[in-house]
Amino acid sequence: RTWSDLERISDKIAPMLGIDQPVMIEAKRIMGAEAAAVTVLCMLEKANAIRSPGAYLRRLTQMAHDGAFTLQPMLMALANRQIVS
């Protein structure tokens, strides 16, 4: 219902995906808590295709730090996948 709820859910899901707490903390610091939460939930949707979720989130965090990552392409890919399915 709220961003806070979304963040709590992503905090519970991240370890289930194999994302360590320090990686999640850094993602929140760099991306912002809401963007990091949405990123983790998007990763959940693609979990079977992501070999190392912790490394993947670290890479996305680095890209965000460098200004090369936004959520829009990730969200659009999931939206398009839902339309096709």
Side-chain angles (χ1 to χ4, degrees), residues 39-61:
T39 300
V40 168
L41 294 176
C42 287
M43 290 172 61
L44 176 63
E45 286 291 317
K46 302 280 290 174
N48 61 340
I50 300 172
R51 193 175 338 173
S52 178
Y56 186 61
L57 183 58
R58 276 193 302 276
R59 177 68 181 129
L60 294 178
T61 301

Side-chain angles (χ1 to χ4, degrees), residues 10-60:
S10 73
D11 285 343
K12 289 182 180 181
I13 290 172
M16 293 176 198
L17 290 173
I19 298 169
D20 294 330
Q21 187 176 16
V23 174
M24 193 65 194
I25 291 169
E26 183 71 358
K28 289 178 185 181
R29 188 180 72 76
I30 300 292
M31 295 178 179
E34 294 167 355
V38 171
T39 300
V40 168
L41 294 176
C42 287
M43 290 172 61
L44 176 63
E45 286 291 317
K46 302 280 290 174
N48 61 340
I50 300 172
R51 193 175 338 173
S52 178
Y56 186 61
L57 183 58
R58 276 193 302 276
R59 177 68 181 129
L60 294 178

